[in-house]
Amino acid sequence: MPTRDFGDGGPPLTIEFVLFVSVSFTLAYVLPFYFSPTTRPSPTLSRDSPAVIRTRVRLVGTCCAICAHTTTLILRHYCSHTFSSALRQMGLFPPPILGTLLPLVLTAILFLGPLFERGIVLGGLTTWLRGKELLRTLESWPGYRNFIAGPATEELLFRGTLVPLFLHSPLSTTQVVLLAPLPFGLAHVHHAYEFRLTHPTAPMVLVIAQSLFQFVYTTLFGWFAALVLVRTGSLWACVLCHAFANWMGLPRVWGRVGRKGDWVLVEEGGDGSAGSTGKVDEAVLTGGVEGEKVEERKERKEREEGKKGKWVKSEDQRAGIVWTVAYYALLVTGVVGFWKGLWVLTESESALATV
């Protein structure tokens, strides 16, 4: 494991400088969305529109390229790194194989319960194994944004370009892991404005609560991703974990698993009986915004999943109490397993620093 030895001169970057760069990079990532009428949020412009997604991806891609170049210049000019060692500090090259794959296994352990519900209870395992669903999802613009462009650009900017700068400041490694993800959480606060535009009748307390909740869980994931980058030296591990977390979404923490009468999105030719034909998609219509009609929730879910199909009422989702008990048991087991495996499955000889 490497140590952060700066020699007699001390850390080459000041905390103030690193914070200034962090704020600048975060604003550069978010503000361009509001400059153009083709990307600016409005009550009539959906963020899931292909034109909006294409333009936003181009903007954040350009932003990430500029920020990544800026970070390499800082590391080379102020921190005495070569171009190749700067890339290594950013977790880009060379990628450690185990250091990249094991954190993904760790993330899957955390989602044991949701994997059980979506794969076994709702019958999604067959389509997963065929790879059909993955290809179909990635062919859609929302799927491309949620599982490729979003994770890649966010991890490059908020982990790859910022964490190395924090590591060359006077902050301890633990402080770096805890503070570096804060811009990532703050960058999602602007979604409150988008939510307010599309749901003008929603109470302000709901808007604030949703924004705070999003800030909390994005910061929590940011802590995990920063730890993964520091301990594995692999930005690619962060991207894979981010994409997987986006695919899983937030886990169910209450309610009965696979309730009879749930709306389910069925592929063409499916009959709506989970586990019988292997045709039932795991996009179960759960959750939703207060006041949102069922048809609106269906349309929203289709946009989020990037797919179309026939919505039917399930007749038998195998909703016995055994399935629910098994889900929550696996949910707890996943959390415990994640915690116990956190240090083991993120250890790598390519680590950027000791934690």
Side-chain angles (χ1 to χ4, degrees):
M1 283 274 194
T3 57
R4 298 166 61 200
D5 184 8
F6 301 117
D8 297 333
L13 304 178
T14 65
I15 296 176
E16 293 78 11
F17 175 76
V18 174
L19 291 177
F20 171 77
V21 173
S22 300
V23 172
S24 300
F25 283 8
T26 303
L27 293 177
Y29 190 90
V30 174
L31 289 184
F33 292 166
Y34 295 87
F35 290 160
S36 170
T38 59
T39 59
R40 188 182 307 127
S42 74
T44 58
L45 187 64
S46 171
R47 66 188 296 269
D48 294 320
S49 165
V52 172
I53 295 175
R54 284 195 299 267
T55 305
R56 286 191 170 192
V57 168
R58 283 197 295 267
L59 288 173
V60 299
T62 303
C63 168
C64 287
I66 294 173
C67 292
H69 181 62
T70 302
T71 294
T72 58
L73 290 178
I74 294 173
L75 291 175
R76 294 174 67 185
H77 184 74
Y78 294 103
C79 307
S80 303
H81 281 285
T82 63
F83 180 71
S84 60
S85 66
L87 292 182
R88 183 186 171 328
Q89 287 290 309
M90 296 169 68
L92 290 170
F93 187 83
I97 303 301
L98 287 179
T100 298
L101 296 179
L102 289 181
L104 180 60
V105 174
L106 180 64
T107 308
I109 291 173
L110 178 63
F111 285 96
L112 273 182
L115 283 171
F116 169 76
E117 179 182 17
R118 294 171 63 171
I120 305 300
V121 179
L122 299 179
L125 182 60
T126 303
T127 54
W128 298 351
L129 295 176
R130 291 175 181 171
K132 183 178 179 181
E133 175 205 351
L134 175 63
L135 294 175
R136 184 180 57 200
T137 301
L138 296 182
E139 285 174 353
S140 70
W141 279 104
Y144 170 72
R145 174 198 61 199
N146 294 341
F147 308 124
I148 297 180
T153 58
E154 290 183 356
E155 292 306 316
L156 175 59
L157 188 130
F158 293 106
R159 248 66 70 184
T161 69
L162 294 182
V163 170
L165 302 185
F166 276 97
L167 286 175
H168 287 79
S169 75
L171 294 172
S172 69
T173 307
T174 301
Q175 290 174 324
V176 169
V177 170
L178 294 177
L179 294 178
L182 293 181
F184 176 63
L186 292 172
H188 288 80
V189 172
H190 77 102
H191 289 310
Y193 175 67
E194 293 183 348
F195 179 80
R196 186 63 174 170
L197 286 176
T198 54
H199 300 83
T201 60
M204 182 57 67
V205 66
L206 177 63
V207 177
I208 296 174
Q210 186 192 57
S211 180
L212 287 175
F213 181 69
Q214 191 170 34
F215 170 76
V216 169
Y217 77 71
T218 52
T219 301
L220 285 173
F221 177 81
W223 286 340
F224 170 63
L227 182 69
V228 167
L229 176 58
V230 171
R231 284 181 57 81
T232 67
S234 174
L235 184 67
W236 306 105
C238 302
V239 174
L240 289 177
C241 293
H242 192 148
F244 185 85
N246 280 2
W247 177 58
M248 293 306 303
L250 292 175
R252 174 200 295 271
V253 292
W254 68 84
R256 192 168 180 175
V257 172
R259 294 187 306 264
K260 184 175 181 179
D262 273 348
W263 285 103
V264 292
L265 181 59
V266 184
E267 290 184 33
E268 186 176 353
D271 63 2
S273 56
S276 60
T277 65
K279 296 280 186 182
V280 176
D281 196 280
E282 75 278 6
V284 180
L285 193 67
T286 56
V289 179
E290 183 179 349
E292 191 177 27
K293 297 179 180 178
V294 171
E295 292 303 319
E296 293 174 342
R297 291 168 66 183
K298 290 179 182 177
E299 294 176 1
R300 172 180 57 79
K301 196 64 180 179
E302 288 179 0
R303 290 196 306 269
E304 291 175 354
E305 298 290 335
K307 60 192 72 169
K308 292 286 186 179
K310 179 183 178 182
W311 287 98
V312 299
K313 275 280 190 178
S314 61
E315 293 300 328
D316 179 15
Q317 292 268 14
R318 291 186 286 182
I321 191 64
V322 174
W323 294 104
T324 300
V325 171
Y327 168 81
Y328 287 109
L330 287 172
L331 186 67
V332 173
T333 300
V335 173
V336 174
F338 174 83
W339 180 252
K340 289 190 173 182
L342 181 60
W343 299 102
V344 176
L345 296 179
T346 58
E347 187 174 2
S348 172
E349 293 182 356
S350 301
L352 302 181
T354 56
V355 181

